[in-house]
Amino acid sequence: MISNLKRICDHLAIEKNVERAIQLIAINSCYSGNSSRLYVGRFHKNLELFHFASFGFDSQSGQDGLVRSYERKFLPLLMADSIQLDTVTFLNHDASYLKLFTSATGLNEDSMWRTTVILPLLPNYFATLSIQIELMDEGRDREYFDALRSVINLYLTLDTKASRSRRVSARIRNENLHGPRLTERQELILELIQEGKTNANIAHAMGYSESLIRQESIAIYRKLGIEGRKDLSMQAPIDESNSGDELEP
């Protein structure tokens, strides 16, 4: 398994695409013959889930649909008593787990998955990794997944460096407001706008309607005393392939 970790590190050293990086981690940490199902997300102050990246959720209903069911319905139930965990946790797919998964997602759990490993990551980040064999809480398994957690944390640290600088900028801007402060949801929306996300992208990522994101964006600009996206000093370039995005509020 150490050789698997080395391959992961070698891949991530040159990999800049987040989704591709998650795929490489899932494939190389499979702990059996094929690949793992990996979900990486984060909690905000109000414990609202936000999808970061995932791999291995393909199903008849489509990957996006299953991921949304997984994070909106299943994970809050699964992690209700384990959000504060700071150690790796093994959850074998027993009858109660399978019943919970089926009721939350509306799909039968694929029989190839045997164990889900919860990996606490950087503050507010976590990962769930479903593998194809049953695991006992043995020293060698825990040691491996602790090491894997460190690898993922290292990648997240490098990948989110620019994002953190934008959050700091948003926080400073928020503290300098003379009027109403931005809400936690508005802070997140502002961060995503600065990353170049469109209203449609943000609505999809957060699970809200596009009209709500538009309303919140207008409220953000009003509080910041600016007219729109073009006035955000640290705005990331917006994908020009999506015509009209620059005109969104």
Side-chain angles (χ1 to χ4, degrees):
M1 300 307 292
I2 298 300
S3 61
N4 285 2
L5 287 176
K6 184 179 184 303
R7 280 195 293 272
I8 293 173
C9 290
D10 289 343
H11 286 313
L12 296 186
I14 59 174
E15 183 56 59
K16 298 185 181 299
N17 181 279
V18 174
E19 295 293 340
R20 175 64 177 166
I22 294 301
Q23 178 181 355
L24 291 170
I25 293 172
I27 290 175
N28 285 286
S29 61
C30 60
Y31 229 67
S32 55
N34 296 306
S35 63
S36 303
R37 180 178 64 195
L38 177 62
Y39 177 93
V40 180
R42 55 178 168 163
F43 287 103
H44 292 285
K45 295 177 183 177
N46 58 356
L47 298 185
E48 180 181 12
L49 269 174
F50 179 71
H51 174 260
F52 185 78
S54 57
F55 174 77
F57 284 86
D58 294 298
S59 69
Q60 293 180 349
S61 67
Q63 180 168 342
D64 288 343
L66 180 54
V67 167
R68 283 196 296 272
S69 296
Y70 188 79
E71 69 183 352
R72 299 291 175 194
K73 300 178 181 179
F74 179 65
L75 280 178
L77 294 174
L78 183 67
M79 302 184 70
D81 298 323
S82 59
I83 289 175
Q84 303 302 324
L85 285 181
D86 57 4
T87 59
V88 172
T89 301
F90 300 143
L91 298 174
N92 285 320
H93 293 192
D94 56 16
S96 60
Y97 179 99
L98 296 176
K99 181 179 180 181
L100 183 65
F101 185 93
T102 301
S103 63
T105 65
L107 296 171
N108 292 325
E109 173 68 299
D110 194 320
S111 60
M112 69 185 292
W113 309 115
R114 294 285 186 264
T115 305
T116 289
V117 185
I118 297 180
L119 303 171
L121 301 173
L122 298 174
N124 300 326
Y125 282 83
F126 70 95
T128 61
L129 182 75
S130 295
I131 59 178
Q132 299 166 14
I133 61 175
E134 290 188 6
L135 286 182
M136 303 300 291
D137 193 359
E138 297 179 355
R140 68 178 186 88
D141 293 328
R142 180 168 297 281
E143 182 179 355
Y144 171 76
F145 286 108
D146 276 334
L148 179 62
R149 179 173 64 162
S150 298
V151 171
I152 299 175
N153 272 338
L154 178 59
Y155 185 81
L156 288 177
T157 299
L158 297 175
D159 184 76
T160 59
K161 184 176 181 180
S163 179
R164 283 203 307 276
S165 69
R166 286 192 289 270
R167 287 199 297 274
V168 170
S169 174
R171 189 177 304 116
I172 293 174
R173 184 185 289 119
N174 200 18
E175 291 172 352
N176 291 333
L177 289 177
H178 298 294
R181 299 293 189 264
L182 298 181
T183 65
E184 292 175 0
R185 183 167 68 186
Q186 288 170 348
E187 287 183 4
L188 173 58
I189 292 173
L190 176 58
E191 175 189 338
L192 295 175
I193 290 174
Q194 291 176 313
E195 291 177 0
K197 300 292 193 299
T198 66
N199 286 349
N201 296 151
I202 298 171
H204 176 76
M206 297 183 67
Y208 296 128
S209 68
E210 190 171 347
S211 62
L212 175 62
I213 300 301
R214 182 183 179 86
Q215 293 171 10
E216 287 284 57
S217 299
I218 293 173
I220 290 169
Y221 303 144
R222 185 179 298 117
K223 289 181 179 181
L224 296 179
I226 60 178
E227 294 184 0
R229 290 172 176 248
K230 64 181 181 298
D231 295 326
L232 289 173
S233 60
M234 296 190 67
Q235 176 184 347
I238 296 178
D239 186 358
E240 295 180 357
S241 65
N242 195 340
S243 60
D245 288 347
E246 296 88 344
L247 302 179
E248 288 187 343

Short mmCIF file of all heavy atoms in Angstrom, two decimals, residues 91-147:
data_model
loop_
_atom_site.label_atom_id
_atom_site.label_comp_id
_atom_site.label_asym_id
_atom_site.label_seq_id
_atom_site.Cartn_x
_atom_site.Cartn_y
_atom_site.Cartn_z
N LEU A 91 -16.62 2.39 8.67
CA LEU A 91 -18.04 2.04 8.74
C LEU A 91 -18.31 0.89 7.77
O LEU A 91 -18.37 1.10 6.55
CB LEU A 91 -18.92 3.25 8.38
CG LEU A 91 -18.80 4.48 9.28
CD1 LEU A 91 -19.63 5.62 8.71
CD2 LEU A 91 -19.27 4.15 10.69
N ASN A 92 -18.42 -0.32 8.29
CA ASN A 92 -18.74 -1.45 7.42
C ASN A 92 -20.19 -1.36 6.97
O ASN A 92 -21.07 -0.90 7.71
CB ASN A 92 -18.48 -2.77 8.15
CG ASN A 92 -16.99 -3.09 8.24
OD1 ASN A 92 -16.25 -2.85 7.30
ND2 ASN A 92 -16.57 -3.59 9.38
N HIS A 93 -20.45 -1.79 5.76
CA HIS A 93 -21.78 -1.66 5.18
C HIS A 93 -22.69 -2.78 5.67
O HIS A 93 -23.02 -3.72 4.94
CB HIS A 93 -21.69 -1.66 3.65
CG HIS A 93 -21.00 -0.46 3.11
ND1 HIS A 93 -21.01 -0.12 1.77
CD2 HIS A 93 -20.28 0.52 3.72
CE1 HIS A 93 -20.32 0.99 1.59
NE2 HIS A 93 -19.86 1.39 2.76
N ASP A 94 -23.12 -2.64 6.91
CA ASP A 94 -24.03 -3.62 7.48
C ASP A 94 -25.46 -3.29 7.07
O ASP A 94 -25.70 -2.37 6.27
CB ASP A 94 -23.89 -3.67 9.01
CG ASP A 94 -24.11 -2.30 9.65
OD1 ASP A 94 -24.66 -1.39 8.98
OD2 ASP A 94 -23.74 -2.14 10.83
N ALA A 95 -26.42 -4.02 7.61
CA ALA A 95 -27.82 -3.85 7.20
C ALA A 95 -28.32 -2.43 7.47
O ALA A 95 -29.04 -1.84 6.65
CB ALA A 95 -28.70 -4.87 7.92
N SER A 96 -27.95 -1.85 8.61
CA SER A 96 -28.42 -0.51 8.96
C SER A 96 -27.83 0.54 8.02
O SER A 96 -28.52 1.49 7.61
CB SER A 96 -28.08 -0.18 10.41
OG SER A 96 -26.69 -0.21 10.62
N TYR A 97 -26.56 0.37 7.66
CA TYR A 97 -25.92 1.30 6.73
C TYR A 97 -26.61 1.24 5.37
O TYR A 97 -26.94 2.28 4.78
CB TYR A 97 -24.44 0.96 6.58
CG TYR A 97 -23.67 1.85 5.61
CD1 TYR A 97 -22.90 2.91 6.07
CD2 TYR A 97 -23.73 1.62 4.24
CE1 TYR A 97 -22.21 3.72 5.19
CE2 TYR A 97 -23.04 2.43 3.34
CZ TYR A 97 -22.28 3.47 3.82
OH TYR A 97 -21.60 4.27 2.94
N LEU A 98 -26.83 0.04 4.87
CA LEU A 98 -27.45 -0.13 3.56
C LEU A 98 -28.87 0.42 3.54
O LEU A 98 -29.30 1.03 2.55
CB LEU A 98 -27.44 -1.60 3.15
CG LEU A 98 -26.05 -2.22 2.97
CD1 LEU A 98 -26.17 -3.71 2.66
CD2 LEU A 98 -25.28 -1.51 1.86
N LYS A 99 -29.60 0.23 4.63
CA LYS A 99 -30.97 0.75 4.71
C LYS A 99 -30.95 2.27 4.68
O LYS A 99 -31.77 2.91 4.01
CB LYS A 99 -31.64 0.25 5.99
CG LYS A 99 -33.07 0.73 6.15
CD LYS A 99 -33.70 0.16 7.43
CE LYS A 99 -35.13 0.65 7.59
NZ LYS A 99 -35.74 0.12 8.84
N LEU A 100 -30.01 2.87 5.41
CA LEU A 100 -29.88 4.33 5.44
C LEU A 100 -29.53 4.87 4.06
O LEU A 100 -30.10 5.86 3.60
CB LEU A 100 -28.80 4.73 6.45
CG LEU A 100 -28.58 6.23 6.68
CD1 LEU A 100 -29.82 6.86 7.29
CD2 LEU A 100 -27.38 6.45 7.59
N PHE A 101 -28.60 4.22 3.38
CA PHE A 101 -28.19 4.66 2.05
C PHE A 101 -29.36 4.58 1.07
O PHE A 101 -29.61 5.52 0.31
CB PHE A 101 -27.03 3.79 1.55
CG PHE A 101 -26.45 4.23 0.23
CD1 PHE A 101 -25.37 5.09 0.19
CD2 PHE A 101 -27.00 3.79 -0.97
CE1 PHE A 101 -24.83 5.51 -1.02
CE2 PHE A 101 -26.48 4.20 -2.19
CZ PHE A 101 -25.39 5.06 -2.21
N THR A 102 -30.08 3.47 1.09
CA THR A 102 -31.19 3.28 0.16
C THR A 102 -32.30 4.29 0.40
O THR A 102 -32.84 4.88 -0.54
CB THR A 102 -31.75 1.85 0.29
OG1 THR A 102 -30.71 0.91 0.02
CG2 THR A 102 -32.89 1.62 -0.68
N SER A 103 -32.64 4.51 1.67
CA SER A 103 -33.73 5.45 1.98
C SER A 103 -33.34 6.89 1.63
O SER A 103 -34.19 7.69 1.25
CB SER A 103 -34.10 5.35 3.46
OG SER A 103 -33.01 5.71 4.28
N ALA A 104 -32.07 7.22 1.76
CA ALA A 104 -31.63 8.60 1.51
C ALA A 104 -31.45 8.90 0.03
O ALA A 104 -31.80 9.98 -0.44
CB ALA A 104 -30.33 8.88 2.25
N THR A 105 -30.92 7.94 -0.73
CA THR A 105 -30.60 8.20 -2.13
C THR A 105 -31.62 7.63 -3.09
O THR A 105 -31.66 8.02 -4.26
CB THR A 105 -29.23 7.59 -2.49
OG1 THR A 105 -29.30 6.16 -2.38
CG2 THR A 105 -28.15 8.12 -1.56
N GLY A 106 -32.45 6.69 -2.62
CA GLY A 106 -33.42 6.05 -3.49
C GLY A 106 -32.82 4.98 -4.37
O GLY A 106 -33.46 4.47 -5.29
N LEU A 107 -31.56 4.61 -4.11
CA LEU A 107 -30.86 3.60 -4.91
C LEU A 107 -30.32 2.51 -3.99
O LEU A 107 -29.96 2.77 -2.84
CB LEU A 107 -29.70 4.23 -5.68
CG LEU A 107 -30.06 5.27 -6.74
CD1 LEU A 107 -28.80 5.94 -7.26
CD2 LEU A 107 -30.82 4.62 -7.89
N ASN A 108 -30.25 1.30 -4.51
CA ASN A 108 -29.62 0.23 -3.76
C ASN A 108 -28.11 0.40 -3.81
O ASN A 108 -27.55 0.69 -4.87
CB ASN A 108 -30.00 -1.14 -4.34
CG ASN A 108 -31.46 -1.46 -4.12
OD1 ASN A 108 -32.03 -1.11 -3.10
ND2 ASN A 108 -32.08 -2.12 -5.09
N GLU A 109 -27.48 0.24 -2.67
CA GLU A 109 -26.02 0.35 -2.62
C GLU A 109 -25.40 -0.74 -3.47
O GLU A 109 -25.80 -1.91 -3.40
CB GLU A 109 -25.55 0.24 -1.17
CG GLU A 109 -24.04 0.16 -0.99
CD GLU A 109 -23.32 1.44 -1.35
OE1 GLU A 109 -23.43 1.86 -2.51
OE2 GLU A 109 -22.65 2.01 -0.48
N ASP A 110 -24.44 -0.37 -4.31
CA ASP A 110 -23.75 -1.35 -5.15
C ASP A 110 -23.05 -2.36 -4.25
O ASP A 110 -22.35 -2.01 -3.31
CB ASP A 110 -22.72 -0.63 -6.03
CG ASP A 110 -22.21 -1.52 -7.15
OD1 ASP A 110 -21.98 -2.71 -6.88
OD2 ASP A 110 -22.05 -1.02 -8.26
N SER A 111 -23.22 -3.63 -4.57
CA SER A 111 -22.67 -4.69 -3.72
C SER A 111 -21.15 -4.71 -3.70
O SER A 111 -20.55 -5.35 -2.85
CB SER A 111 -23.18 -6.05 -4.20
OG SER A 111 -22.79 -6.28 -5.54
N MET A 112 -20.50 -3.98 -4.63
CA MET A 112 -19.04 -4.00 -4.67
C MET A 112 -18.44 -3.23 -3.49
O MET A 112 -17.31 -3.49 -3.09
CB MET A 112 -18.52 -3.41 -5.98
CG MET A 112 -18.74 -1.91 -6.13
SD MET A 112 -18.23 -1.27 -7.75
CE MET A 112 -16.46 -1.49 -7.66
N TRP A 113 -19.19 -2.29 -2.90
CA TRP A 113 -18.65 -1.51 -1.79
C TRP A 113 -18.90 -2.24 -0.48
O TRP A 113 -20.00 -2.70 -0.21
CB TRP A 113 -19.29 -0.12 -1.76
CG TRP A 113 -19.22 0.60 -3.08
CD1 TRP A 113 -20.27 0.95 -3.87
CD2 TRP A 113 -18.04 1.01 -3.76
NE1 TRP A 113 -19.82 1.57 -5.00
CE2 TRP A 113 -18.45 1.62 -4.97
CE3 TRP A 113 -16.68 0.93 -3.48
CZ2 TRP A 113 -17.55 2.15 -5.88
CZ3 TRP A 113 -15.78 1.45 -4.39
CH2 TRP A 113 -16.22 2.06 -5.57
N ARG A 114 -17.87 -2.32 0.35
CA ARG A 114 -17.96 -3.07 1.60
C ARG A 114 -17.75 -2.20 2.84
O ARG A 114 -18.33 -2.46 3.88
CB ARG A 114 -16.91 -4.19 1.61
CG ARG A 114 -17.14 -5.26 0.55
CD ARG A 114 -18.30 -6.17 0.96
NE ARG A 114 -18.46 -7.29 0.04
CZ ARG A 114 -19.30 -7.31 -0.98
NH1 ARG A 114 -20.07 -6.24 -1.22
NH2 ARG A 114 -19.40 -8.35 -1.77
N THR A 115 -16.92 -1.17 2.71
CA THR A 115 -16.60 -0.32 3.86
C THR A 115 -16.49 1.13 3.42
O THR A 115 -15.95 1.41 2.35
CB THR A 115 -15.26 -0.74 4.51
OG1 THR A 115 -15.29 -2.12 4.84
CG2 THR A 115 -14.98 0.08 5.76
N THR A 116 -17.00 2.04 4.22
CA THR A 116 -16.78 3.47 4.00
C THR A 116 -15.87 3.99 5.10
O THR A 116 -16.11 3.75 6.28
CB THR A 116 -18.10 4.25 3.99
OG1 THR A 116 -18.83 3.93 2.79
CG2 THR A 116 -17.85 5.76 4.01
N VAL A 117 -14.83 4.68 4.69
CA VAL A 117 -13.86 5.25 5.63
C VAL A 117 -14.08 6.76 5.67
O VAL A 117 -14.08 7.42 4.63
CB VAL A 117 -12.41 4.94 5.19
CG1 VAL A 117 -11.43 5.44 6.24
CG2 VAL A 117 -12.23 3.45 4.94
N ILE A 118 -14.31 7.30 6.86
CA ILE A 118 -14.44 8.75 7.02
C ILE A 118 -13.08 9.31 7.38
O ILE A 118 -12.45 8.89 8.36
CB ILE A 118 -15.47 9.11 8.10
CG1 ILE A 118 -16.86 8.62 7.69
CG2 ILE A 118 -15.50 10.62 8.33
CD1 ILE A 118 -17.94 8.92 8.70
N LEU A 119 -12.62 10.27 6.59
CA LEU A 119 -11.30 10.86 6.78
C LEU A 119 -11.45 12.34 7.14
O LEU A 119 -11.75 13.16 6.27
CB LEU A 119 -10.47 10.74 5.49
CG LEU A 119 -10.24 9.34 4.92
CD1 LEU A 119 -9.59 9.43 3.55
CD2 LEU A 119 -9.38 8.52 5.86
N PRO A 120 -11.26 12.71 8.40
CA PRO A 120 -11.23 14.14 8.73
C PRO A 120 -10.01 14.78 8.08
O PRO A 120 -8.91 14.22 8.12
CB PRO A 120 -11.11 14.15 10.27
CG PRO A 120 -11.45 12.76 10.70
CD PRO A 120 -11.05 11.86 9.57
N LEU A 121 -10.21 15.94 7.46
CA LEU A 121 -9.11 16.58 6.74
C LEU A 121 -8.78 17.92 7.38
O LEU A 121 -8.79 18.04 8.60
CB LEU A 121 -9.49 16.73 5.27
CG LEU A 121 -9.81 15.42 4.53
CD1 LEU A 121 -10.34 15.70 3.13
CD2 LEU A 121 -8.58 14.52 4.47
N LEU A 122 -8.46 18.90 6.56
CA LEU A 122 -8.23 20.25 7.07
C LEU A 122 -9.47 20.73 7.81
O LEU A 122 -10.55 20.17 7.63
CB LEU A 122 -7.93 21.20 5.90
CG LEU A 122 -6.68 20.91 5.06
CD1 LEU A 122 -6.64 21.86 3.88
CD2 LEU A 122 -5.42 21.03 5.90
N PRO A 123 -9.34 21.76 8.65
CA PRO A 123 -10.52 22.26 9.36
C PRO A 123 -11.69 22.49 8.41
O PRO A 123 -11.56 23.16 7.39
CB PRO A 123 -10.02 23.58 9.97
CG PRO A 123 -8.58 23.34 10.19
CD PRO A 123 -8.12 22.50 9.03
N ASN A 124 -12.83 21.87 8.74
CA ASN A 124 -14.08 21.96 7.99
C ASN A 124 -14.13 21.05 6.77
O ASN A 124 -15.19 20.91 6.16
CB ASN A 124 -14.39 23.40 7.55
CG ASN A 124 -14.53 24.34 8.72
OD1 ASN A 124 -15.01 23.95 9.78
ND2 ASN A 124 -14.08 25.57 8.55
N TYR A 125 -13.02 20.44 6.38
CA TYR A 125 -13.01 19.52 5.25
C TYR A 125 -13.09 18.07 5.74
O TYR A 125 -12.65 17.75 6.84
CB TYR A 125 -11.74 19.67 4.41
CG TYR A 125 -11.73 20.87 3.49
CD1 TYR A 125 -11.38 22.12 3.97
CD2 TYR A 125 -12.06 20.74 2.15
CE1 TYR A 125 -11.36 23.23 3.13
CE2 TYR A 125 -12.03 21.84 1.30
CZ TYR A 125 -11.69 23.08 1.80
OH TYR A 125 -11.67 24.16 0.97
N PHE A 126 -13.64 17.19 4.90
CA PHE A 126 -13.68 15.78 5.22
C PHE A 126 -13.76 14.99 3.91
O PHE A 126 -14.05 15.55 2.85
CB PHE A 126 -14.90 15.43 6.09
CG PHE A 126 -16.20 15.53 5.33
CD1 PHE A 126 -16.77 14.41 4.75
CD2 PHE A 126 -16.83 16.75 5.18
CE1 PHE A 126 -17.95 14.51 4.02
CE2 PHE A 126 -18.01 16.86 4.46
CZ PHE A 126 -18.58 15.73 3.88
N ALA A 127 -13.49 13.70 4.01
CA ALA A 127 -13.63 12.82 2.85
C ALA A 127 -14.29 11.53 3.30
O ALA A 127 -14.10 11.08 4.43
CB ALA A 127 -12.28 12.53 2.21
N THR A 128 -15.11 10.95 2.41
CA THR A 128 -15.60 9.59 2.62
C THR A 128 -15.08 8.74 1.47
O THR A 128 -15.19 9.13 0.31
CB THR A 128 -17.14 9.53 2.66
OG1 THR A 128 -17.68 9.97 1.41
CG2 THR A 128 -17.69 10.38 3.79
N LEU A 129 -14.49 7.62 1.82
CA LEU A 129 -13.87 6.74 0.83
C LEU A 129 -14.49 5.35 0.98
O LEU A 129 -14.31 4.70 2.00
CB LEU A 129 -12.36 6.67 1.08
CG LEU A 129 -11.53 5.84 0.12
CD1 LEU A 129 -11.38 6.56 -1.21
CD2 LEU A 129 -10.15 5.56 0.72
N SER A 130 -15.25 4.92 -0.03
CA SER A 130 -15.87 3.59 0.00
C SER A 130 -14.97 2.62 -0.75
O SER A 130 -14.61 2.87 -1.90
CB SER A 130 -17.26 3.62 -0.63
OG SER A 130 -18.13 4.43 0.14
N ILE A 131 -14.63 1.51 -0.10
CA ILE A 131 -13.72 0.53 -0.69
C ILE A 131 -14.40 -0.82 -0.80
O ILE A 131 -15.52 -1.01 -0.31
CB ILE A 131 -12.42 0.42 0.12
CG1 ILE A 131 -12.73 0.02 1.56
CG2 ILE A 131 -11.67 1.75 0.10
CD1 ILE A 131 -11.50 -0.17 2.41
N GLN A 132 -13.72 -1.77 -1.42
CA GLN A 132 -14.37 -3.01 -1.84
C GLN A 132 -14.11 -4.21 -0.94
O GLN A 132 -14.45 -5.33 -1.29
CB GLN A 132 -13.94 -3.32 -3.28
CG GLN A 132 -14.36 -2.24 -4.25
CD GLN A 132 -13.67 -2.36 -5.59
OE1 GLN A 132 -13.08 -3.39 -5.89
NE2 GLN A 132 -13.75 -1.32 -6.39
N ILE A 133 -13.51 -3.99 0.21
CA ILE A 133 -13.32 -5.08 1.16
C ILE A 133 -13.74 -4.59 2.55
O ILE A 133 -13.78 -3.39 2.81
CB ILE A 133 -11.86 -5.55 1.21
CG1 ILE A 133 -10.93 -4.41 1.66
CG2 ILE A 133 -11.42 -6.10 -0.14
CD1 ILE A 133 -9.49 -4.85 1.83
N GLU A 134 -14.09 -5.53 3.41
CA GLU A 134 -14.43 -5.17 4.78
C GLU A 134 -13.15 -4.93 5.57
O GLU A 134 -12.19 -5.68 5.45
CB GLU A 134 -15.26 -6.28 5.44
CG GLU A 134 -16.66 -6.40 4.87
CD GLU A 134 -17.51 -7.38 5.67
OE1 GLU A 134 -17.03 -7.85 6.72
OE2 GLU A 134 -18.65 -7.65 5.24
N LEU A 135 -13.17 -3.89 6.38
CA LEU A 135 -11.98 -3.54 7.15
C LEU A 135 -12.27 -3.67 8.64
O LEU A 135 -13.34 -3.30 9.11
CB LEU A 135 -11.54 -2.11 6.87
CG LEU A 135 -10.87 -1.83 5.53
CD1 LEU A 135 -10.46 -0.37 5.46
CD2 LEU A 135 -9.65 -2.71 5.33
N MET A 136 -11.31 -4.18 9.34
CA MET A 136 -11.34 -4.14 10.79
C MET A 136 -10.46 -2.97 11.23
O MET A 136 -9.64 -2.48 10.46
CB MET A 136 -10.82 -5.45 11.39
CG MET A 136 -11.58 -6.68 10.92
SD MET A 136 -13.33 -6.63 11.37
CE MET A 136 -13.21 -6.79 13.15
N ASP A 137 -10.65 -2.51 12.43
CA ASP A 137 -9.88 -1.37 12.91
C ASP A 137 -8.49 -1.83 13.35
O ASP A 137 -8.13 -1.80 14.52
CB ASP A 137 -10.62 -0.71 14.08
CG ASP A 137 -10.04 0.66 14.40
OD1 ASP A 137 -9.07 1.06 13.73
OD2 ASP A 137 -10.55 1.32 15.31
N GLU A 138 -7.72 -2.27 12.37
CA GLU A 138 -6.38 -2.78 12.65
C GLU A 138 -5.35 -1.68 12.47
O GLU A 138 -5.56 -0.72 11.73
CB GLU A 138 -6.06 -3.96 11.73
CG GLU A 138 -6.99 -5.16 11.94
CD GLU A 138 -6.66 -6.30 10.99
OE1 GLU A 138 -5.79 -6.10 10.13
OE2 GLU A 138 -7.29 -7.36 11.12
N GLY A 139 -4.22 -1.85 13.12
CA GLY A 139 -3.18 -0.83 13.09
C GLY A 139 -2.70 -0.50 11.70
O GLY A 139 -2.55 0.67 11.35
N ARG A 140 -2.50 -1.52 10.87
CA ARG A 140 -1.94 -1.26 9.54
C ARG A 140 -2.94 -0.50 8.67
O ARG A 140 -2.55 0.36 7.88
CB ARG A 140 -1.54 -2.57 8.86
CG ARG A 140 -2.70 -3.47 8.48
CD ARG A 140 -2.24 -4.73 7.78
NE ARG A 140 -3.38 -5.53 7.31
CZ ARG A 140 -3.94 -5.35 6.12
NH1 ARG A 140 -3.48 -4.41 5.31
NH2 ARG A 140 -4.97 -6.09 5.75
N ASP A 141 -4.24 -0.81 8.82
CA ASP A 141 -5.25 -0.09 8.05
C ASP A 141 -5.33 1.37 8.49
O ASP A 141 -5.38 2.28 7.67
CB ASP A 141 -6.62 -0.76 8.21
CG ASP A 141 -6.67 -2.14 7.57
OD1 ASP A 141 -5.96 -2.34 6.56
OD2 ASP A 141 -7.39 -3.01 8.09
N ARG A 142 -5.35 1.57 9.80
CA ARG A 142 -5.43 2.94 10.31
C ARG A 142 -4.19 3.74 9.90
O ARG A 142 -4.29 4.92 9.55
CB ARG A 142 -5.58 2.92 11.83
CG ARG A 142 -5.68 4.31 12.44
CD ARG A 142 -6.12 4.24 13.88
NE ARG A 142 -7.47 3.68 13.97
CZ ARG A 142 -8.57 4.39 13.73
NH1 ARG A 142 -8.47 5.66 13.36
NH2 ARG A 142 -9.75 3.83 13.83
N GLU A 143 -3.04 3.10 9.95
CA GLU A 143 -1.80 3.78 9.58
C GLU A 143 -1.85 4.20 8.11
O GLU A 143 -1.44 5.31 7.75
CB GLU A 143 -0.61 2.85 9.83
CG GLU A 143 0.73 3.48 9.52
CD GLU A 143 1.89 2.54 9.81
OE1 GLU A 143 1.64 1.43 10.34
OE2 GLU A 143 3.03 2.91 9.51
N TYR A 144 -2.37 3.31 7.26
CA TYR A 144 -2.45 3.64 5.84
C TYR A 144 -3.38 4.82 5.60
O TYR A 144 -3.04 5.77 4.88
CB TYR A 144 -2.94 2.43 5.04
CG TYR A 144 -3.26 2.78 3.60
CD1 TYR A 144 -2.24 2.98 2.67
CD2 TYR A 144 -4.57 2.95 3.18
CE1 TYR A 144 -2.53 3.32 1.36
CE2 TYR A 144 -4.87 3.29 1.87
CZ TYR A 144 -3.84 3.47 0.96
OH TYR A 144 -4.13 3.83 -0.33
N PHE A 145 -4.58 4.79 6.20
CA PHE A 145 -5.54 5.85 5.93
C PHE A 145 -5.15 7.16 6.61
O PHE A 145 -5.51 8.24 6.14
CB PHE A 145 -6.94 5.40 6.34
CG PHE A 145 -7.54 4.41 5.38
CD1 PHE A 145 -7.67 3.08 5.73
CD2 PHE A 145 -7.92 4.80 4.11
CE1 PHE A 145 -8.20 2.16 4.85
CE2 PHE A 145 -8.45 3.89 3.21
CZ PHE A 145 -8.58 2.56 3.58
N ASP A 146 -4.41 7.09 7.70
CA ASP A 146 -3.86 8.31 8.28
C ASP A 146 -2.86 8.95 7.32
O ASP A 146 -2.82 10.17 7.14
CB ASP A 146 -3.16 8.01 9.62
CG ASP A 146 -4.13 7.99 10.79
OD1 ASP A 146 -5.18 8.66 10.69
OD2 ASP A 146 -3.85 7.30 11.79
N ALA A 147 -2.05 8.10 6.68
CA ALA A 147 -1.09 8.60 5.70
C ALA A 147 -1.81 9.16 4.48
O ALA A 147 -1.43 10.22 3.95
CB ALA A 147 -0.12 7.49 5.29
#
